[in-house]
């Protein structure tokens, strides 16, 4: 094999260049951030809190398709509990960021399918029933 063909052969064997991932859309960013916040809040509640104030924080089950989520986010940011607890401050920053994204940058992309505020307080657990296995 000639020295000139070796780089060409290596280039062909390497395959096509990797495609660049598409940038997140407003909707995908809101959805992923809301899931991240909900998960972080569950972890915060599940671990034995060093600060008793964590028990009194407003619940954070977020559904970005529910109009009441904006008030829920505002309430959490304004909550006076746990002002100097690092985990809560980090969570509060994420909540503030989601509120800003929803209320400013992505306002036109939002479609609210519900305005049931109780659904954010007491979410219905999602269960999957296999076809043919219903009672």
């Amino acid at each position: 094999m000639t020295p000139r063909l070796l780089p060409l052969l290596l280039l062909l064997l390497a395959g096509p260049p990797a495609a660049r991932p598409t940038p997140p859309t407003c909707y995908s960013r809101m959805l992923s951030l809301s899931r991240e916040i909900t998960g972080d809040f569950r972890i915060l509640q599940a671990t034995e809190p060093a600060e008793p104030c964590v028990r009194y924080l407003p619940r954070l089950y977020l559904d970005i398709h529910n109009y009441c989520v904006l008030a829920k986010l505002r309430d959490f940011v304004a909550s006076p509990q746990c002002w100097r607890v690092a985990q809560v401050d980090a969570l509060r920053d994420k909540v503030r960021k989601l509120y800003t994204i929803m209320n400013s940058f992505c306002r036109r992309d939002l479609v609210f399918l519900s305005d049931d505020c109780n659904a954010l307080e007491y979410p219905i657990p999602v269960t999957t029933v296999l076809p043919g296995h219903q009672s």
Side-chain angles (χ1 to χ4, degrees), residues 33-43 60-63 91:
L33 191 54
S34 70
R35 288 177 178 165
E36 185 180 331
I37 290 168
T38 300
D40 288 353
F41 184 74
R42 284 186 185 146
I43 291 169
L60 265 185
Y61 168 74
L62 303 178
D63 176 6
L91 189 59

Side-chain angles (χ1 to χ4, degrees), residues 46-120:
T47 58
E48 187 61 35
E51 297 288 332
C53 64
V54 172
R55 282 181 274 161
Y56 302 107
L57 288 170
R59 290 174 179 247
L60 265 185
Y61 168 74
L62 303 178
D63 176 6
I64 63 169
H65 303 105
N66 187 328
Y67 183 75
C68 295
V69 75
L70 293 170
K72 173 70 87 177
L73 294 171
R74 260 191 328 264
D75 290 348
F76 189 83
V77 170
S79 174
Q81 284 85 13
C82 301
W83 275 110
R84 290 190 174 84
V85 177
Q87 284 179 298
V88 177
D89 285 342
L91 189 59
R92 204 172 259 127
D93 287 343
K94 286 181 185 180
V95 169
R96 191 177 293 113
K97 182 187 297 185
L98 179 60
Y99 181 80
T100 302
I101 290 170
M102 291 180 77
N103 208 30
S104 300
F105 303 116
C106 301
R107 187 179 197 122
R108 293 181 185 166
D109 294 349
L110 283 173
V111 176
F112 295 114
L113 304 175
S114 164
D115 63 350
D116 182 7
C117 295
N118 283 333
L120 295 178

